[in-house]
Amino acid sequence: MKVSVSPGHNINGTLILPLFEGSEAVPESHEAGLHTSLKAQINRILQDGDFKGKLKSTMSIFGGEGGKAMLVGLGKEDEADVHSYRKAGAAVIAGRKKVHGTDLTVGFSGSSIELMGAFTEGMLLRDYSYDHYKKQDEEDKESELDVRITCDEGQEDELSSAVNIHAGVASGVHLSRDLGNCPPNDMYPEAFADQAWEWAKQYDDVEVTIINYDQAVKAGMGGLVAVGMGSARKPCMVIFELNGKKTGRCPLLVGKGITFDTGGISLKPGANMDEMKYDMGGSATVFGTMQALASTGHKGKVVAITCMAENMPSSNALRPGDVITSLSGKTIEILNTDAEGRLVLSDGLWKAGEFDPEYIIDFATLTGACVVALGHEATGLWSNDDDFRTRIHDAGNAVDELAWPMPLLPAFEKEMTNSKIADTRNLGAGRWGGANTAAAFLKQFVPNRNYEKDGEQITWAHMDIAGTYWGAKTNSMVGNGATGIHVRTIYHLITNG
Ligand code: BES
Ligand code: ZN
Ligand code: ZN
């Protein structure tokens, strides 16, 4: 989608007219440039109460001599905020059909930069479909949307820069979705690494390092190796550095990247197993966030680590009963090979300590238990620092991506460290609190500052996106498939928070 911004009211293609609940006529400020017959038609619709302006509702008008239009509801005026404008923008794209054409003009006047920006952001985010694998006839292929936002005289420069930032961030969200939606026969650990490598070439200030299977074995990445060794597609770790030469502490993101999770020897049931292609959603989130930051020219240093593996059953797969040694040196008793995300993350979190980061946030489609707890409405959020957890929760609220605080209790840590034969165990004693025990397990692998034995643990948060990375029907920023959640949250946290 191409977006341009300009004052003035001439309309290219279909007019998109955002209206508050209870609007009885086209606002005077919108009248300029509006064909009299289209205006009369819209006024008639509003007077008859046929379009009420409810948030996210749309009504299309075709066939008149005044051109085509789509009315879109902004909801109640006194409740208007960036969230309602973003949702209304997304509703335009969701409700758009071929007859609307590819040229759209959004008629704003008297609106703030922030609200117009949010409306555009909603359009950008929702303008996504994954059809790389569909054979399409040339004539069915649609050209890119060309959207013009009309604003008041003098607003154009500021609105343009806001729109450019939204477009850069949306490109990160779309990248995260592309990675997640890609079928697992094409999205395997090395394919992800290759894509990251190719992607980095376009930016001078980005570097990608790939730790391949042999190097991972040599380095002692026992968790990553254990999970990936059962697959012909070997595991790897990918490290992204933005402005890596800058000194000082920086945010560090870690992502679970299981490109397909069969469960391994503790094989999953067959129903919906195809959805386990999304089990690399954590790695997609951090890759997408790096794209959002790099494409908008973020000047600070940010590092990301993705732990890529395919969890397969085979004669050389990890077994329940095995004891492995993670990069940290701690041993892990494997009680269920389907609890594999925490194993690859144990190495990613430990590796993060090498960068002496300001904080670490990991993203993972970690547990079905988190979906039981929070449904598809919120990500589970744990942290070893209450203030930091609140900052992430606030950043999520600011962009309408809910992350709900969950408890990191000593009892859960005890449960995950009471193996009879190893330092830790990868399964809780029972099935209760499964999302919390998983978080408590991860905490065992968050290093202290400079790896000092009695030092302070690095500030860390864990985000379980098992319920929010896909299948969230109430997320109106996306039609189906991967949501690309939390690229915007973390972009907001890093750039504003
Ligand atoms: N990738 C799954 C978690 C998952 C399940 C995400 C359903 C989204 C939807 C993870 O690797 C897993 O299998 N976890 C197990 C852990 C259990 C064996 C302790 C689970 O949640 O059942
Ligand atoms: Zn699993
Ligand atoms: Zn998994």
Side-chain angles (χ1 to χ4, degrees):
M1 177 171 139
K2 268 204 319 252
V3 187
S4 62
V5 168
S6 58
H9 293 279
N10 58 315
I11 297 161
N12 309 333
T14 299
L15 168 70
I16 308 295
L17 190 61
L19 292 165
F20 288 116
E21 232 172 82
S23 303
E24 285 172 356
V26 173
E28 241 173 72
S29 51
H30 283 72
E31 285 183 0
L34 194 58
H35 192 285
T36 46
S37 80
L38 184 57
K39 187 178 116 186
Q41 234 176 326
I42 297 173
N43 281 342
R44 184 64 186 261
I45 288 168
L46 296 175
Q47 275 151 24
D48 289 353
D50 291 334
F51 182 76
K52 299 199 164 44
K54 293 240 182 283
L55 183 60
K56 298 199 283 185
S57 62
T58 59
M59 181 184 270
S60 295
I61 301 164
F62 302 129
E65 56 178 315
K68 299 176 182 180
M70 185 197 270
L71 312 183
V72 54
L74 292 169
K76 294 194 170 65
E77 189 166 5
D78 56 359
E79 289 173 7
D81 60 8
V82 286
H83 306 309
S84 54
Y85 270 68
R86 191 188 301 110
K87 284 177 183 155
V92 169
I93 302 297
R96 193 192 75 90
K97 302 213 166 48
K98 216 171 169 185
V99 283
H100 293 96
T102 51
D103 287 346
L104 309 177
T105 300
V106 186
F108 277 120
S109 73
S111 301
S112 73
I113 307 278
E114 196 187 20
L115 294 178
M116 290 188 284
F119 188 95
T120 315
E121 181 190 23
M123 292 182 83
L124 285 160
L125 289 169
R126 188 61 180 74
D127 182 37
Y128 174 86
S129 62
Y130 189 75
D131 25 50
H132 302 345
Y133 288 82
K134 277 192 179 161
K135 190 175 161 301
Q136 270 182 336
D137 292 335
E138 273 314 304
E139 60 190 69
D140 284 347
K141 274 200 186 140
E142 268 204 29
S143 39
E144 200 183 6
L145 283 183
D146 201 332
V147 176
R148 192 164 77 87
I149 313 284
T150 70
C151 58
D152 294 337
E153 205 73 52
Q155 286 183 312
E156 58 274 21
D157 289 347
E158 219 184 313
L159 182 56
S160 270
S161 358
V163 165
N164 286 342
I165 290 178
H166 285 308
V169 177
S171 76
V173 176
H174 291 175
L175 172 61
S176 167
R177 292 178 188 168
D178 277 346
L179 293 161
N181 288 329
C182 186
N185 52 333
D186 284 341
M187 180 49 63
Y188 47 92
E190 271 178 19
F192 181 99
D194 286 349
Q195 189 170 334
W197 181 263
E198 289 301 320
W199 165 84
K201 286 182 184 166
Q202 67 189 297
Y203 298 112
D204 292 338
D205 42 8
V206 173
E207 221 174 291
V208 162
T209 310
I210 299 164
I211 299 176
N212 67 24
Y213 182 58
D214 292 338
Q215 291 165 329
V217 172
K218 227 173 174 175
M221 295 182 173
L224 186 75
V225 167
V227 174
M229 68 189 178
S231 170
R233 268 118 177 224
K234 290 295 179 252
C236 60
M237 188 178 270
V238 184
I239 303 178
F240 301 70
E241 291 176 78
L242 171 62
N243 301 310
K245 294 202 173 63
K246 292 215 165 145
T247 51
R249 288 182 175 158
C250 73
L252 196 147
L253 314 175
V254 178
K256 168 180 172 180
I258 302 299
T259 57
F260 196 72
D261 182 12
T262 63
I265 297 297
S266 313
L267 193 65
K268 284 184 181 294
N272 304 323
M273 205 205 270
D274 58 293
E275 294 186 349
M276 284 299 122
K277 72 170 184 175
Y278 296 119
D279 210 22
M280 34 62 71
S283 64
T285 306
V286 314
F287 191 170
T289 304
M290 294 309 266
Q291 159 65 8
L293 291 164
S295 70
T296 53
H298 181 66
K299 291 285 169 267
K301 176 174 167 180
V302 182
V303 176
I305 298 176
T306 61
C307 312
M308 312 305 302
E310 185 178 48
N311 188 20
M312 292 293 243
S314 79
S315 66
N316 40 13
L318 180 70
R319 288 162 288 252
D322 283 354
V323 173
I324 61 167
T325 305
S326 75
L327 185 63
S328 68
K330 287 188 185 175
T331 55
I332 307 170
E333 182 185 11
I334 307 301
L335 294 165
N336 188 319
T337 64
D338 197 11
E340 84 299 335
R342 60 197 76 182
L343 304 179
V344 300
L345 288 174
S346 72
D347 287 343
L349 291 168
W350 193 258
K351 179 80 183 166
E354 276 182 23
F355 296 86
D356 188 25
E358 179 191 351
Y359 56 74
I360 304 171
I361 310 177
D362 76 71
F363 302 86
T365 49
L366 202 64
T367 64
C370 190
V371 194
V372 173
L374 299 171
H376 295 290
E377 301 311 315
T379 293
L381 170 63
W382 292 257
S383 177
N384 59 359
D385 177 321
D386 291 347
D387 292 337
F388 186 52
R389 194 188 55 228
T390 303
R391 271 176 65 196
I392 297 177
H393 176 68
D394 289 347
N397 287 346
V399 301
D400 203 18
E401 295 182 328
L402 255 122
W404 208 256
M406 299 283 278
L408 249 190
L409 304 180
F412 294 129
E413 289 193 59
K414 214 166 152 202
E415 191 173 332
M416 301 308 283
T417 50
N418 80 347
S419 159
K420 296 223 165 33
I421 62 166
D423 300 328
T424 63
R425 47 188 287 164
N426 83 329
L427 194 68
R431 61 202 244 345
W432 308 120
N436 297 317
T437 49
F441 175 89
L442 293 181
K443 183 171 180 283
Q444 310 311 309
F445 301 91
V446 177
N448 293 342
R449 284 239 165 261
N450 306 313
Y451 297 112
E452 273 166 18
K453 200 163 176 305
D454 298 312
E456 191 196 354
Q457 192 170 44
I458 297 172
T459 303
W460 156 77
H462 159 55
M463 300 182 77
D464 192 334
I465 54 174
T468 49
Y469 188 68
W470 82 96
K473 294 202 172 54
T474 50
N475 183 338
S476 58
M477 296 303 127
V478 63
N480 52 56
T483 58
I485 192 137
H486 295 316
V487 168
R488 294 188 300 119
T489 306
I490 304 308
Y491 182 86
H492 185 88
L493 178 80
I494 291 177
T495 60
N496 297 304

